[in-house]
Amino acid sequence: MARRPRKRRRRDAAAAEGPDCFSRLNEDLLRSILSNLPTRSAATLAAVSRHFRREIPALLDRVDSLTLHEPHFQDPLRATPPVLLRRLALAPHRAIPPSTFRPILDDAALHGLSELAFRLTRRARLPKNVLSVKSLAVLDLDNCAVAPWSNVACPCLRTLRLNRVAILQELINKILASASCLETLEMVYCTGLGTGRSAGCTVESSSVRNLVFRPTRKLEQIIIRASALRTVTLYTRSRVKRLELAPAPKVRKAYLHIAKLPAKLEAFRVRPFLDAGVKLECLTLRGNSVKVLSSEFKGIPKLTVMFQDLRILSVSLNPSSIEETYFLLKLLESCPHLENFSLSVHEDMEQANNMPSTDHKERLSSISCLTTSLVQFKFRGFKPQEFQKELMVFLLTRGKKLKKVGVEFEKSQADAVRKILSIKRAPTERASTKYGNHYMELEYS
Amino acid sequence: MEVDKGKGEAEETRKVAEADRDTVTLKSSDGKLFEVSKEAAARLSTVLAGMIAGGSIDDNGTDLKQIGSEALENVVDYCNKHANSIPSAALISSSISFNTAPFKEPEEWERKFVDRLSHDALFDLVEAANFLGMERLLDVTCHKISEMMKGKSPDQIREVFNIKNDYTKEELEEIRQELAWAFYDD
């Protein structure tokens, strides 16, 4: 019913501006006119008028997906009538040189290819036009090498996944410059990013929303400046000497794994990112991330930022380090609505285990989320020492909304753990070896 | 079926004998009358063939309310030229499907025939051919239209066919970006 007036108005408007000869033709007649046009000509018609854009795309033939192992189409893509190819997957046998797929890519480019996946069995060079298929929205490269002289022209690219790809930093820059609406970037175990001693990677983009970055062991420098990030997963490896994660005010989900610390701890800068992350909903700090942050936040009694939306927090830390423990308390103070908290504890043998009994108890009771909003709590590597014990007892006795508690511990600690957990009896208790160790799970109704 | 067909033919010949005519009279939407050879009409138009066979041809002018006089004149003109230039039954389209039927390039006279038409007349003729089920004429006219579109930019197409640009600048830019692959080179 609602549509009728709109239709009439449209016709009136058309009549007022003189008749448009195409709008009289029915679908069959339009299709028969299109059938003599090459794909590209037919596709550009959408830019002629709204009527064309409404009618024509539905009249074009489509091929959803093709997988080729050899550099020729079994059923060649015809010139006319127009046909659009959505996805092309290329997975040649080891003996076939990837460059022989160049004409295939050229041909697919004429048919509006929007997804391309190229997978090789060894890291051989891809044809140089792999980054210049203009219609591409999704590009997946797996286990291959991008030739340094490749042409880069991919204005529609939204998703780029590079898995074990040898690619120059220069090309990454070119891609980021060309793909102005790139949203998802995954770089996993990519090589060739830098040369010689300064093997580093810089990702600078104002469009990337989702980033996964996992370097190889050789990478020494990681700089991520992506202000539009919504989710980020970032790993460093042991040789990284410099790390910069620039602020991304819209970030919702962050996973940070810092492997090994450099000699100069100042070369790692993550604090500005955390300070700006007011929209964070889920934060995971693994490896030495807490150590880096605790040194960056050293001497600051309170985080300036309040994570109002943060519901899930997962942290790995060394409990015998006062600094790290303090940082965790500071972080918890800034998460007023935390619901799900997991703490994973790893002992750093270098540090003495003589943590002074401090004002933890007081600090803990000033952290509102632990009593008012926390629903689920998981503790891995639990040992009944000062702080850990206090935290656990505090949560069990004071957590008003606590529904589920999980504790993973070594066998020798079983009695102590049971004793602590007995503070708050649970209707459901489960014991298992879920994480390779002893694991107890309590559920309160 | 054989029997039916024979019967139909018999009836037809009887009617022809009765009327003693080898043409049919067609009446356009605005009341003008046109005569066309019955043989050509039946051969080129599946709809007219059906009407002739079914006996629903009116001697005083068969009403074709959907077709204007100008278009009908062109249809008749085409039928007559076809009858003159082509040995009968040489060019009957075998398939209705546009995508699978191999399209034979237009003959020289067909090309000339559609070339002299104005845009409006051409589109009217497409509709008339569609209405009358004239496969070959439909192919030739559609081919002519796509020839006119081939290799032209959206701007040029709008100009040639007098189509109004109902996009805003921003929308157009957005579409151009989306279709950047197709616009390559121009």
Side-chain angles (χ1 to χ4, degrees):
Chain A
M1 288 296 275
R3 252 189 217 166
R4 208 171 282 159
R6 210 191 304 156
K7 220 176 193 176
R8 195 177 301 145
R9 214 177 305 140
R10 201 186 294 144
R11 202 179 297 149
D12 287 349
E17 274 125 23
D20 164 354
C21 27
F22 281 97
S23 43
R24 301 185 313 195
L25 301 182
N26 68 26
E27 225 173 73
D28 284 340
L29 297 177
L30 262 183
R31 183 180 283 130
S32 127
I33 292 170
L34 289 178
S35 67
N36 289 314
L37 294 176
T39 309
R40 271 167 58 181
S41 272
T44 54
L45 292 179
V48 169
S49 72
R50 286 174 199 275
H51 173 74
F52 274 33
R53 197 185 191 191
R54 245 187 339 265
E55 301 291 329
I56 286 174
L59 299 178
L60 304 180
D61 283 344
R62 279 153 211 276
V63 173
D64 187 65
S65 185
L66 277 180
T67 302
L68 300 184
H69 302 285
E70 280 157 19
H72 50 79
F73 289 113
Q74 275 187 335
D75 190 9
L77 293 171
R78 58 195 185 227
T80 62
V83 58
L84 292 171
L85 175 60
R86 190 185 66 83
R87 184 173 197 273
L88 179 63
L90 303 174
H93 181 264
R94 179 173 271 267
I96 300 173
S99 60
T100 52
F101 282 87
R102 206 163 102 194
I104 295 281
L105 289 178
D106 282 338
D107 202 6
L110 298 178
H111 291 86
L113 185 70
S114 70
E115 279 191 45
L116 174 64
F118 220 128
R119 186 196 185 107
L120 302 182
T121 50
R122 63 195 165 95
R123 281 195 215 183
R125 272 197 190 119
L126 295 173
K128 69 170 183 181
N129 57 353
V130 72
L131 295 173
S132 54
V133 179
K134 283 199 161 193
S135 49
L136 274 191
V138 179
L139 178 59
D140 274 305
L141 299 181
D142 196 345
N143 200 28
C144 37
V146 180
W149 49 83
S150 296
N151 301 323
V152 181
C154 40
C156 300
L157 201 64
R158 286 181 186 275
T159 301
L160 175 64
R161 296 191 200 99
L162 304 173
N163 186 31
R164 295 174 199 276
V165 173
I167 184 168
L168 292 183
Q169 172 70 45
E170 208 180 302
L171 279 174
I172 298 279
N173 295 347
K174 278 187 189 167
I175 293 169
L176 291 173
S178 169
S180 56
C181 47
L182 188 72
E183 282 186 2
T184 301
L185 175 63
E186 291 185 22
M187 294 177 68
V188 177
Y189 305 134
C190 288
T191 55
L193 287 159
T195 44
R197 290 195 171 176
S198 60
C201 180
T202 304
V203 174
E204 209 162 350
S205 159
S206 55
S207 66
V208 171
R209 285 162 170 247
N210 309 304
L211 176 71
V212 176
F213 192 90
R214 248 191 127 139
T216 55
R217 255 163 55 97
K218 281 184 182 164
L219 204 73
E220 294 185 358
Q221 182 176 309
I222 300 172
I223 296 171
I224 309 288
R225 293 187 190 123
S227 54
L229 280 181
R230 302 292 196 280
T231 67
V232 57
T233 303
L234 175 65
Y235 286 79
T236 72
R237 300 293 286 273
S238 56
R239 287 194 203 166
V240 171
K241 294 200 182 84
R242 185 172 166 218
L243 169 70
E244 182 189 329
L245 184 56
K250 287 173 187 155
V251 72
R252 303 242 162 80
K253 202 170 167 184
Y255 181 105
L256 192 59
H257 188 123
I258 295 176
K260 202 176 163 188
L261 297 176
K264 286 189 207 156
L265 210 55
E266 313 87 78
F268 276 26
R269 282 175 60 79
V270 185
R271 187 181 155 190
F273 174 80
L274 201 64
D275 276 340
V278 286
K279 292 262 168 69
L280 272 175
E281 288 166 12
C282 176
L283 176 66
T284 309
L285 301 170
R286 290 266 174 265
N288 287 310
S289 308
V290 170
K291 197 166 188 176
V292 170
L293 283 163
S294 63
S295 89
E296 282 190 275
F297 280 98
K298 200 172 184 178
I300 295 163
K302 222 173 166 185
L303 268 64
T304 49
V305 58
M306 264 303 193
F307 302 108
Q308 297 286 352
D309 298 332
L310 197 78
R311 300 285 188 273
I312 304 172
L313 177 68
S314 180
V315 171
S316 305
L317 62 69
N318 171 13
S320 48
S321 152
I322 308 173
E323 276 172 23
E324 289 186 37
T325 319
Y326 267 133
F327 174 74
L328 175 65
L329 294 173
K330 280 187 257 184
L331 188 59
L332 286 170
E333 275 171 352
S334 283
C335 310
H337 302 116
L338 190 68
E339 286 173 7
N340 194 326
F341 176 41
S342 46
L343 181 62
S344 175
V345 162
H346 57 89
E347 213 72 41
D348 195 338
M349 287 307 158
E350 288 169 26
Q351 270 175 323
N353 202 358
N354 55 353
M355 174 128 155
S357 179
T358 46
D359 55 344
H360 282 150
K361 238 176 223 170
E362 241 170 76
R363 270 313 271 272
L364 281 174
S365 54
S366 74
I367 299 173
S368 66
C369 70
L370 298 181
T371 51
T372 58
S373 66
L374 197 70
V375 177
Q376 197 171 339
F377 172 65
K378 195 183 277 178
F379 206 135
R380 291 187 58 185
F382 180 77
K383 277 184 188 155
Q385 287 157 348
E386 272 318 308
F387 172 66
Q388 302 180 38
K389 200 168 150 186
E390 257 171 45
L391 179 63
M392 187 76 107
V393 171
F394 182 85
L395 285 170
L396 289 171
T397 52
R398 305 282 291 277
K400 284 177 195 150
K401 285 193 177 164
L402 199 65
K403 290 273 183 294
K404 203 168 170 182
V405 175
V407 188
E408 181 240 30
F409 50 90
E410 276 174 26
K411 198 182 174 187
S412 56
Q413 314 288 355
D415 290 340
V417 171
R418 267 176 216 286
K419 200 176 159 196
I420 291 171
L421 290 177
S422 68
I423 294 174
K424 192 174 180 181
R425 290 262 170 231
T428 338
E429 274 191 37
R430 272 191 299 271
S432 64
T433 51
K434 197 171 169 182
Y435 295 98
N437 233 332
H438 282 260
Y439 186 71
M440 273 191 74
E441 205 171 57
L442 308 182
E443 269 179 52
Y444 306 97
S445 49
Chain B
M1 291 304 279
E2 282 297 312
V3 179
D4 276 355
K5 203 176 162 190
K7 217 175 172 182
E9 272 170 11
E11 202 176 283
E12 192 186 318
T13 42
R14 185 174 52 83
K15 280 207 166 184
V16 170
E18 245 179 36
D20 194 24
R21 286 171 55 170
D22 55 358
T23 61
V24 284
T25 310
L26 304 175
K27 195 171 166 188
S28 70
S29 62
D30 45 353
K32 287 194 182 167
L33 298 175
F34 296 91
E35 290 230 337
V36 64
S37 132
K38 193 178 265 181
E39 182 272 334
R43 181 159 48 81
L44 294 169
S45 158
T46 53
V47 172
L48 289 179
M51 287 168 97
I52 292 165
S56 53
I57 288 290
D58 189 339
D59 285 345
N60 300 322
T62 305
D63 260 339
L64 297 172
K65 290 212 171 70
Q66 280 81 351
I67 303 174
S69 58
E70 203 189 334
L72 195 54
E73 191 181 344
N74 284 323
V75 167
V76 169
D77 195 11
Y78 177 81
C79 290
N80 291 337
K81 282 190 171 150
H82 205 285
N84 294 339
S85 67
I86 306 285
S88 65
L91 245 183
I92 297 173
S93 289
S94 55
S95 167
I96 296 172
S97 167
F98 300 121
N99 287 334
T100 53
F103 172 69
K104 282 193 201 124
E105 285 292 305
E107 311 261 330
E108 187 55 33
W109 71 271
E110 285 175 318
R111 215 180 274 277
K112 275 187 190 148
F113 176 78
V114 289
D115 277 352
R116 64 173 179 81
L117 297 174
S118 73
H119 288 164
D120 280 341
L122 183 61
F123 279 82
D124 285 341
L125 192 54
V126 169
E127 283 183 296
N130 184 46
F131 176 73
L132 292 171
M134 301 174 73
E135 284 303 325
R136 178 64 188 171
L137 181 57
L138 197 55
D139 280 353
V140 171
T141 46
C142 286
H143 183 264
K144 168 67 184 167
I145 295 173
S146 45
E147 283 297 316
M148 289 160 76
M149 298 168 98
K150 221 174 247 180
K152 289 205 170 66
S153 72
D155 289 339
Q156 289 167 322
I157 286 176
R158 258 184 247 122
E159 205 183 308
V160 169
F161 294 99
N162 193 21
I163 299 169
K164 197 191 173 281
N165 181 2
D166 50 4
Y167 284 124
T168 62
K169 257 191 177 161
E170 293 77 29
E171 285 173 317
L172 210 54
E173 190 48 43
E174 197 180 300
I175 295 169
R176 277 194 79 99
Q177 275 192 353
E178 232 173 77
L179 298 170
W181 63 275
F183 284 109
Y184 195 42
D185 289 346
D186 61 44

